[in-house]
Amino acid sequence: MIGIRSTTRRTRWRVGAFTSAATMLLASVGVLVAGTAQAAAGCAVTYQVSSQWQGGFGANVSVTNLGDAINGWRLTWTFPAGQRVTQAWNATVTASGNDVTAANVGYNAAIATNATVSFGFNGSWSGTNTNPTSFALNGVTCTGGVGPTTAPPTSTPPTTPPPTTPPPTTPPPAGDAMAAVAAMQPGWNLGNSLDAVGADETAWGNPRITEALLDNVKAQGFKSIRIPVTWSAHLGGAPNYPIEAAYLNRVKEVVDWALADDLYVMINIHHDSWQWINTMPTDRTNVLAKYNAIWTQLSSTFRSSSPKLVFESVNEPQFTGSSGDAQNATLLGELNTSFHRIVRASGGNNATRLLVLPTLHTSSDQARVDELVATFNALNDRNLIATVHYYGYWPFSVNVAGGTHFDATAQKDLTDSFDRVYNAFVAKGIPVIVGEYGLLGFDRHTGTIEQGEKLKFFEYFGYYTRTKKLTTMLWDNGQHLGRTSFQWTDPELTAQIKSSWTTRSGTASSDLVFNAKANAVSAKTLTLNLNGTTFQGLRQGSTDLAQGTDYTISGSQLTLTASALTRLSSSRAYGVNATLHARFSTGVPWRINIITYDRPILSNATGTTSAFTIPTQFRGDQLATMEAKYADGSNAGPHDWTSFKEYDVTFKPDYPGNSIALTSDFFAAVNDNAPVTLTFHFWSGEKVTYKVTRSGGNVTGATA
């Protein structure tokens, strides 16, 4: 999942995050009535603001044609509050002031009667983000009825009816599958190894898998292991597509090691999903033949393996060049159904083996969940498991658009996602595995998101998935558990994740307490997030601090006194002077770093678009995010729908090197000879401005 393919992953998850949290549904903006008897016309429009953040938002629009079939469409509306579209998909969007036109792209021009097309966009807003209340399809207003249009129909109905969804049946009652999936909690992913795209499992930089590694995974408390496998480089040609014997034997060796450790094991078809399975809309016969051949061989190879071996049909299924959601659902339904048929027909333990079926993109959006529910109803098999992935609310997950905190918006994205999955599956006796989870910023390194905010995310994730009875599998491409050292790279993070499997932990509004060296030390207050626990006290190392003298508690407000902070800051050297731990009745303690800082100082610099760094005296402070704007106030750099740029992708602090680097990706989206004002936001609350100007391949920077 994460690592080599990080750019694709970030792009896809940005769209996924925007479609995950519905805030407005205008179902009443609905159906057309119009003039003469040439042809019936009618439409229903659903406009959904799916996510909103400072200065930006994402929206989805669905258009249902209730009249005669059309071939070629234009949807128009007027923004009531000055919003602007900055990026769109599945439609070409243009605007004149507040008036917006969305036109079909090549593959979704035709809309049969009662068929729906969908598109989405990102936008900017200020003041308010009021939804439009009126839409027109091909010039005719959607008002709530069906009538004749004043113009002839634009086309005859297509000869092929739109795809249909099998009628729902009663889902099977809860049974052994629910118990088995519960026994799989918690799970771990052996990422970037057998799923690597290349000659062998070391192609993406990880060492060969050893039996000792799996022994250590078991010793860490994991009950299941997901072993992603990419097959594309190890297949022979048509028509049988034989799997290279040595590679298949290697996969089986690793699977057998894990089974010998009494772990549940999940294997799948992994990055093949974007390498060749995605071409199914235009190459259905060949894709299905290859897909079926792989599962036929795997079913035969593992026919007698332990029932603790679980098959997952395909990782993160996706399709390129399809006609839209309806075709995507049909194609994925065909893959899942074919997978189910092949495995069950192979007999042995495969006759009742647990099989995992994903949603499109393994998304938890309601439409994607509903599509998978239809497949489950049609198959009516008690030994099926649903799977989704979760990498958090996108602005927070990658640290862009000001998403520096695990705030109420990020939390709601999480709860909405798992509420949808629970209601659709678990509440009806169908188990769910969150087959991958983490933060997308981990694509680059685990420091992209500030430590305390990261810990709050994982604490809440573990708690909420536990309440929804979901089994979770941590994505680890080697950045968490050392493949040869068997040590965790971030023990504090690991402790929080492990604790969340069974209980809640208290947290706080921050893990950083700053006092400026230029000023006298003053008392500082943090808000405790008790999460159902009770506060037990503060400790430095093995020494308890004194309530009333060193700190006070008033409800959820923890105040560190000026006298205690003066003592703890000692000589007041820049950086962390002392570390405290707030202890609670359950869970892990919350670390609090006491920091002395002064306003950071940036210096003039010259460089190139491929190598430009700003000399920086951080003076104990830590960088949170960066804004970029042109002189006229418009946003500069990538993602120009927001002034806040993406951490590590456009800018990178180097604390030991006393510098901040601006990347080539940033300058690639900056206008030539147009000065850009950068505002660096630090965790202390300080803001420092700086100006950069690109002139061809050269860059100059100066203090503002």
Side-chain angles (χ1 to χ4, degrees):
M1 182 250 65
I2 295 177
I4 300 298
R5 203 162 51 92
S6 62
T7 301
T8 300
R9 162 63 86 163
R10 284 196 299 275
T11 300
R12 209 262 297 157
W13 269 90
R14 174 177 52 75
V15 176
F18 287 145
T19 59
S20 65
T23 60
M24 181 75 178
L25 184 63
L26 297 181
S28 61
V29 179
V31 185
L32 141 81
V33 176
T36 67
Q38 295 289 341
C43 58
V45 175
T46 299
Y47 179 96
Q48 185 180 48
V49 174
S50 56
S51 188
Q52 183 169 299
W53 57 95
Q54 182 180 17
F57 70 104
N60 300 309
V61 183
S62 295
V63 184
T64 301
N65 176 31
L66 302 177
D68 288 346
I70 60 175
N71 190 3
W73 54 268
R74 294 168 61 254
L75 186 73
T76 57
W77 71 89
T78 299
F79 277 128
Q83 300 99 318
R84 294 292 183 266
V85 174
T86 58
Q87 183 183 34
W89 50 92
N90 296 334
T92 300
V93 178
T94 57
S96 176
N98 293 329
D99 297 326
V100 185
T101 299
N104 65 272
V105 289
Y107 56 79
N108 64 1
I111 317 179
T113 302
N114 294 324
T116 299
V117 295
S118 299
F119 64 93
F121 64 85
N122 298 330
S124 61
W125 66 282
S126 62
T128 61
N129 188 20
T130 308
N131 290 277
T133 57
S134 179
F135 296 83
L137 180 64
N138 289 349
V140 182
T141 303
C142 300
T143 60
V146 178
T149 183
T150 56
T154 56
S155 72
T156 57
T159 55
T160 303
T164 58
T165 300
T169 59
T170 302
D176 291 343
M178 287 289 289
V181 171
M184 294 171 70
Q185 171 67 8
W188 181 83
N189 273 271
L190 181 58
N192 284 21
S193 286
L194 288 168
D195 57 314
V197 175
D200 66 10
E201 66 198 79
T202 67
W204 282 359
N206 278 322
R208 280 179 61 85
I209 303 160
T210 63
E211 192 171 5
L213 170 63
L214 303 186
D215 293 344
N216 275 273
V217 170
K218 171 72 173 182
Q220 292 292 332
F222 292 101
K223 305 299 183 184
S224 60
I225 181 171
R226 182 171 179 256
I227 304 176
V229 186
T230 299
W231 304 93
S232 57
H234 307 280
L235 295 176
N240 296 324
Y241 300 99
I243 301 173
E244 176 187 307
Y247 189 71
L248 183 57
N249 289 338
R250 173 58 173 163
V251 172
K252 189 172 188 304
E253 178 180 47
V254 175
V255 167
D256 287 345
W257 285 342
L259 290 172
D261 278 322
D262 201 30
L263 291 164
Y264 280 88
V265 182
M266 185 192 304
I267 61 171
N268 66 2
I269 295 178
H270 203 76
H271 290 306
D272 307 78
S273 61
W274 56 267
Q275 289 185 304
W276 54 271
I277 293 175
N278 65 320
T279 67
M280 195 174 177
T282 55
D283 193 22
R284 175 184 170 279
T285 299
N286 290 326
V287 168
L288 194 59
K290 187 185 294 189
Y291 176 86
N292 289 348
I294 293 173
W295 276 117
T296 297
Q297 294 171 80
L298 296 182
S299 296
S300 175
T301 299
F302 294 103
R303 182 175 181 271
S304 300
S305 293
S306 163
K308 284 196 167 184
L309 176 63
V310 178
F311 292 162
E312 178 185 24
S313 64
V314 60
N315 172 71
E316 297 183 354
Q318 53 197 277
F319 301 105
T320 301
S322 77
S323 60
D325 289 347
Q327 186 182 15
N328 290 337
T330 298
L331 295 176
L332 179 56
E334 187 170 12
L335 289 176
N336 280 334
T337 300
S338 186
F339 159 74
H340 176 266
R341 173 183 54 78
I342 290 168
V343 175
R344 289 289 181 254
S346 65
N349 286 339
N350 291 341
T352 55
R353 189 175 303 284
L354 294 173
L355 304 181
V356 179
L357 307 183
T359 59
L360 186 72
H361 299 301
T362 52
S363 164
S364 58
D365 290 354
Q366 191 63 59
R368 308 290 79 81
V369 169
D370 290 344
E371 292 159 359
L372 187 59
V373 167
T375 299
F376 272 73
N377 289 340
L379 293 176
N380 197 31
D381 184 331
R382 299 177 67 169
N383 290 316
L384 299 183
I385 303 165
T387 189
V388 297
H389 294 172
Y390 190 74
Y391 285 93
Y393 176 60
W394 183 71
F396 170 71
S397 188
V398 302
N399 194 347
V400 73
T404 54
H405 290 76
F406 182 60
D407 58 12
T409 301
Q411 182 173 308
K412 186 175 186 300
D413 184 85
L414 186 154
T415 56
D416 285 352
S417 294
F418 296 134
D419 285 350
R420 289 191 294 268
V421 170
Y422 175 84
N423 292 334
F425 296 110
V426 179
K428 299 173 183 176
I430 300 171
V432 172
I433 294 174
V434 182
E436 295 179 12
Y437 74 91
L439 289 167
L440 292 179
F442 288 179
D443 277 9
R444 299 179 294 279
H445 63 73
T446 58
T448 299
I449 293 86
E450 194 275 329
Q451 183 77 351
E453 302 304 316
K454 182 195 318 174
L455 295 174
K456 284 186 274 190
F457 167 82
F458 283 100
E459 192 282 332
Y460 195 81
F461 173 92
Y463 152 71
Y464 205 75
T465 53
R466 180 161 41 85
T467 66
K468 295 300 176 182
K469 302 178 182 178
L470 308 177
T471 285
T472 61
M473 293 183 155
L474 176 68
W475 178 260
D476 190 348
N477 65 12
Q479 82 274 66
H480 294 309
L481 180 64
R483 297 290 168 90
T484 56
S485 69
F486 312 135
Q487 300 297 311
W488 295 99
T489 57
D490 187 344
E492 184 179 51
L493 173 62
T494 305
Q496 186 67 273
I497 291 173
K498 289 186 173 184
S499 176
S500 73
W501 295 341
T502 57
T503 191
R504 295 217 66 177
S505 296
T507 64
S509 52
S510 181
D511 59 339
L512 308 173
V513 171
F514 288 91
N515 263 295
K517 190 171 185 177
N519 302 324
V521 174
S522 60
K524 294 293 185 291
T525 298
L526 297 173
T527 299
L528 298 178
N529 306 312
L530 294 173
N531 299 330
T533 71
T534 56
F535 176 72
Q536 301 289 297
L538 275 181
R539 181 173 290 174
Q540 182 187 23
S542 59
T543 302
D544 289 328
L545 273 64
Q547 184 173 350
T549 303
D550 295 327
Y551 68 90
T552 62
I553 285 286
S554 177
S556 62
Q557 302 300 298
L558 169 65
T559 299
L560 298 170
T561 65
S563 60
L565 289 173
T566 299
R567 183 183 78 251
L568 293 166
S569 298
S570 186
S571 64
R572 305 195 71 193
Y574 287 139
V576 178
N577 299 146
T579 298
L580 310 180
H581 285 92
R583 295 178 298 107
F584 301 90
S585 54
T586 63
V588 296
W590 179 256
R591 176 189 42 76
I592 302 169
N593 282 343
I594 309 302
I595 300 171
T596 294
Y597 83 102
D598 271 327
R599 180 182 175 85
I601 299 174
L602 280 59
S603 301
N604 297 347
T606 59
T608 67
T609 55
S610 59
F612 182 79
T613 58
I614 303 170
T616 305
Q617 299 175 49
F618 291 100
R619 304 210 295 177
D621 216 335
Q622 299 175 29
L623 185 58
T625 187
M626 179 189 82
E627 287 187 273
K629 293 185 177 182
Y630 293 113
D632 64 1
S634 61
N635 300 328
H639 300 316
D640 60 4
W641 45 270
T642 175
S643 62
F644 289 90
K645 304 296 98 175
E646 187 171 354
Y647 196 104
D648 281 330
V649 172
T650 57
F651 68 98
K652 302 178 181 181
D654 178 359
Y655 296 106
N658 297 310
S659 66
I660 300 172
L662 301 182
T663 70
S664 58
D665 286 349
F666 173 74
F667 288 113
V670 168
N671 297 334
D672 208 33
N673 295 312
V676 176
T677 297
L678 307 176
T679 302
F680 291 99
H681 295 251
F682 292 85
W683 281 101
S684 68
E686 294 284 356
K687 298 178 185 179
V688 181
T689 56
Y690 192 85
K691 286 189 177 179
V692 294
T693 303
R694 170 195 168 190
S695 181
N698 297 316
V699 179
T700 58
T703 56

